[in-house]
Amino acid sequence: MKLNDIFSGNYNATEWEAKGYQLPKFDIKAVREKTAKEPTWVHFGGGNIFRAFPAAILNDALNTGKYDRGVIVAETFDFEVIDKAYAPYNNLSLLVSLQSTGTIEKKVIASVTEALKADPQYPDWQRLVEIFRNPSLQMISFTITEKGYSFNEADLARGMIPLFAMGKVCALLYERWQAGQMPLTVQSMDNCSHNGDKVKAGIFAYAERWVKDGLVPEAFLSYLKDETKITFPWSMIDKITPRPHEKVKELLAKDGFEDNNYIETEKHTFTAPFVNAEEVQYLVIEDHYTNGRPPLNLGGALYTTRETVDKVETMKVTTCLNPLHTAMSIYGCMLGYTLISAEMADEDLRSFIQKIGYMEAMPVVTDPGVLNPYEFIGAVINRRLPNPFMPDAPQRIAMDTSQKLPIRFGETIKKYVARGLDMQNLVLIPLTLAGYARYLKGLKDDLTAFEPSPDPMLTELQAIVAPLEIGKADQDWSPLHRLYCRKDVFGLDLYEAGLGEQIEGMVHELFAGPGAVRTTLHKYVSAR
């Protein structure tokens, strides 16, 4: 059983389906021919998240028979991905959905029609120029991570032969402008807030510099800023796609599926002919297109307004997912856990995050309408976090915690203050923030050492709590005031919010001695 057999048509469909593999219901070669002549969508970033999500929902759309164009992927960073994960398999891949029940679903993804290296040093660049000059092109999109939208003075100074992704895209947009100022939508699908603004800022930086240096006319910049021509919608994407899993490889091999080798590139991209990902996924997109769009809604994407996208993003990062992740990462590290899924079998930790979400954060959430906050949390707690296939660790989630606390908890506290709500309803969110002081000590609950995760403020904040000793009740606790008044860490002065003293009292309990973390956590969770 090989992916290339699917492409060639030389395979036994009954055998594949008997083993649980969902096969494409559309004519792969016909879709490729149509897309080659009249492309509608180019996606930048050929990594696992693209194949597991945007390409997969387009595959579902094609399976309905109501659409006939695929997606062309362009890689801007790691060109070995094209050579090793796309070309040998005729751009087909296998999506393995990892169910919380411990089972898997398998689907052959055939929606990618071309895989190109997005760099002028490769012949593929001329094909991209041709595509960008085609009036049929409707959308370009990105999953290149937030870092991919960056630029620096050195790259700006390279003129129209940039190294960074945003410069390359700007050069291709210039080709589209030259071909007749044709409309196009530039759609980020990366997991960062207000992502459309980030891609816009990157592209505008290059265009403005090129205008200044006399490389392109002012009219090109005006074209980019004309929302009847070019738009940069926001989106909210949510799906966990870890690197290829050994257990998945073994299951596929047992089926007789032969394309299960691991691929690690020189740039340390981890991929494979198969992609494993969690079953739950969300893609909410601002419906602001200038030249039509591929009907991704046929595959489950939700099109809506910018305001609604923002509400969904806020719901996720301040209530339904991100705060729960951070709370369990802080306490998980102190309690010696190395897997998020294992933490979910701990009744104290499970109840801890469940009550933070439903009882403390939910009263101030704004329902976006397109996704129900209660159902979102339910999926997080019952299907996503306990998933045994998800090898995510609290140590990874705890990275950059100081940068996350202002949004993940500070915004909820601000809403309580602004609305005049009873602050006594907040117990477990304060316990999370109290746990942060204890976490900074780098000692587990049994007082053995652990290394706190990388954080730009780690050294500074550890210095604040350094004078505090575990197991010493009679000591100077004044350093806590210096910590919990920090608006740059918590988003507001927690004493001004009326929570400072409560949090200090919880810190005293957490510092009581060996076992105090578990005792204090159980006490407050049980009482809540």
Side-chain angles (χ1 to χ4, degrees):
M1 298 171 65
K2 296 182 178 182
L3 290 170
N4 282 330
D5 295 340
I6 302 294
F7 179 76
S8 67
N10 184 26
Y11 67 102
N12 184 334
T14 302
E15 178 187 4
W16 285 72
E17 290 170 352
K19 294 180 179 179
Y21 289 76
Q22 299 176 38
L23 301 175
K25 298 178 182 178
F26 54 92
D27 186 326
I28 298 173
K29 293 182 180 178
V31 167
R32 293 193 179 195
E33 290 174 6
K34 181 74 170 178
T35 307
K37 295 175 183 176
E38 299 178 1
T40 55
W41 179 16
V42 173
H43 183 89
F44 290 89
N48 294 332
I49 182 63
F50 163 68
R51 292 190 293 161
F53 200 176
I57 61 176
L58 178 62
N59 198 83
D60 289 346
L62 289 167
N63 279 336
T64 67
K66 297 178 181 179
Y67 194 57
D68 60 0
R69 245 71 62 88
V71 57
I72 297 163
V73 66
E75 177 59 36
T76 62
F77 172 68
D78 193 340
F79 303 122
E80 274 191 272
V81 170
I82 301 297
D83 292 333
K84 295 182 177 180
Y86 283 89
Y89 310 99
N90 275 294
N91 302 327
L92 272 64
S93 61
L94 181 72
L95 170 60
V96 181
S97 294
L98 311 173
Q99 313 291 304
S100 56
T101 57
T103 60
I104 63 175
E105 290 184 354
K106 299 160 287 193
K107 181 186 298 185
V108 175
I109 305 302
S111 57
V112 179
T113 61
E114 295 178 67
L116 306 172
K117 299 175 183 179
D119 193 282
Q121 68 176 306
Y122 294 104
D124 290 351
W125 184 258
Q126 288 308 310
R127 172 58 180 152
L128 280 168
V129 168
E130 176 185 320
I131 293 167
F132 269 73
R133 285 176 164 266
N134 195 319
S136 65
L137 187 62
Q138 298 175 331
M139 174 176 79
I140 61 172
S141 59
F142 305 85
T143 50
I144 57 177
T145 76
E146 189 169 357
K147 293 179 181 178
Y149 302 114
S150 63
F151 54 90
N152 60 32
E153 178 61 29
D155 206 48
L156 292 173
R158 286 177 57 88
M160 298 186 70
I161 312 178
L163 296 175
F164 288 15
M166 292 297 95
K168 295 175 182 178
V169 172
C170 190
L172 291 167
L173 288 170
Y174 182 61
E175 295 284 350
R176 191 163 183 81
W177 176 80
Q178 287 183 308
Q181 303 179 34
M182 293 178 288
L184 187 68
T185 289
V186 182
Q187 177 70 70
S188 174
M189 294 182 180
D190 271 301
N191 184 21
C192 50
S193 182
H194 302 173
N195 49 20
D197 289 349
K198 290 179 170 57
V199 64
K200 179 198 288 187
I203 289 172
F204 280 15
Y206 285 91
E208 288 166 355
R209 177 59 178 266
W210 296 349
V211 169
K212 179 183 176 182
D213 292 347
L215 299 174
V216 301
E218 182 77 35
F220 171 58
L221 185 58
S222 298
Y223 161 73
L224 294 178
K225 293 182 177 180
D226 181 354
E227 291 199 359
T228 68
K229 298 286 189 181
I230 305 294
T231 54
F232 300 87
W234 295 359
S235 71
M236 190 288 290
I237 188 169
D238 186 19
K239 186 178 182 73
I240 298 174
T241 310
R243 64 179 58 176
H245 198 292
E246 178 65 33
K247 187 174 181 180
V248 173
K249 178 179 179 178
E250 293 172 359
L251 290 171
L252 297 178
K254 187 177 294 185
D255 285 342
F257 182 77
E258 296 182 35
D259 295 330
N260 54 32
N261 56 301
Y262 289 148
I263 299 166
E264 180 182 358
T265 69
E266 288 186 6
K267 292 185 176 181
H268 302 296
T269 298
F270 295 89
T271 186
F274 67 90
V275 182
N276 44 234
E278 68 169 334
E279 59 184 304
V280 181
Q281 60 187 29
Y282 305 95
L283 180 59
V284 184
I285 304 173
E286 177 190 352
D287 196 359
H288 189 23
Y289 288 75
T290 57
N291 197 33
R293 56 170 167 76
L296 298 185
N297 52 301
L298 294 176
L302 299 174
Y303 288 102
T304 183
T305 63
R306 172 169 289 202
E307 180 184 16
T308 301
V309 172
D310 196 36
K311 288 178 180 177
V312 172
E313 177 77 21
T314 301
M315 178 192 78
K316 183 186 83 163
V317 302
T318 67
T319 304
C320 295
L321 175 60
N322 298 29
L324 314 187
H325 250 159
T326 292
M328 68 191 306
S329 72
I330 290 172
Y331 278 85
C333 289
M334 293 190 291
L335 293 173
Y337 283 101
T338 57
L339 284 175
I340 292 291
S341 57
E343 285 191 64
M344 291 303 291
D346 185 312
E347 190 55 41
D348 286 334
L349 288 170
R350 185 184 179 93
S351 296
F352 181 40
I353 64 167
Q354 189 167 345
K355 291 176 179 180
I356 286 175
Y358 284 124
M359 299 175 67
E360 300 194 7
M362 193 66 77
V364 294
V365 75
T366 299
D367 188 338
V370 295
L371 291 175
N372 183 292
Y374 288 91
E375 293 177 359
F376 196 106
I377 288 185
V380 168
I381 293 174
N382 298 315
R383 296 165 64 194
R384 303 183 72 180
L385 298 181
N387 194 322
F389 282 114
M390 291 290 109
D392 215 350
Q395 291 75 18
R396 186 190 74 82
I397 301 298
M399 290 175 62
D400 302 328
T401 294
S402 70
Q403 311 300 294
K404 298 171 180 176
L405 294 174
I407 300 296
R408 300 187 178 189
F409 298 101
E411 290 302 310
T412 293
I413 297 171
K414 286 178 184 177
K415 289 176 182 176
Y416 268 79
V417 173
R419 300 180 189 182
L421 299 178
D422 187 357
M423 302 301 282
Q424 291 187 353
N425 189 51
L426 295 178
V427 176
L428 301 182
I429 287 178
L431 183 64
T432 302
L433 303 182
Y436 189 51
R438 177 65 176 74
Y439 167 89
L440 289 169
K441 294 297 291 184
L443 294 172
K444 297 179 186 177
D445 200 18
D446 61 5
L447 301 190
T448 59
F450 73 91
E451 185 175 348
S453 302
D455 187 307
M457 300 183 72
L458 182 61
T459 301
E460 178 185 353
L461 298 179
Q462 283 189 307
I464 294 176
V465 301
L468 301 178
E469 297 181 38
I470 295 175
K472 185 177 180 181
D474 183 19
Q475 62 179 310
D476 178 10
W477 295 97
S478 62
L480 293 178
H481 193 284
R482 300 201 339 260
L483 176 63
Y484 290 111
C485 72
R486 294 281 295 264
K487 295 181 181 180
D488 58 336
V489 178
F490 301 101
L492 72 172
D493 183 326
L494 290 165
Y495 295 92
E496 293 177 357
L499 294 174
E501 287 77 11
Q502 176 188 4
I503 292 171
E504 280 198 22
M506 291 173 165
V507 174
H508 293 184
E509 295 180 65
L510 291 167
F511 272 70
V517 173
R518 170 66 70 179
T519 299
T520 305
L521 176 66
H522 181 75
K523 168 189 170 182
Y524 285 102
V525 169
S526 299
R528 194 74 175 89

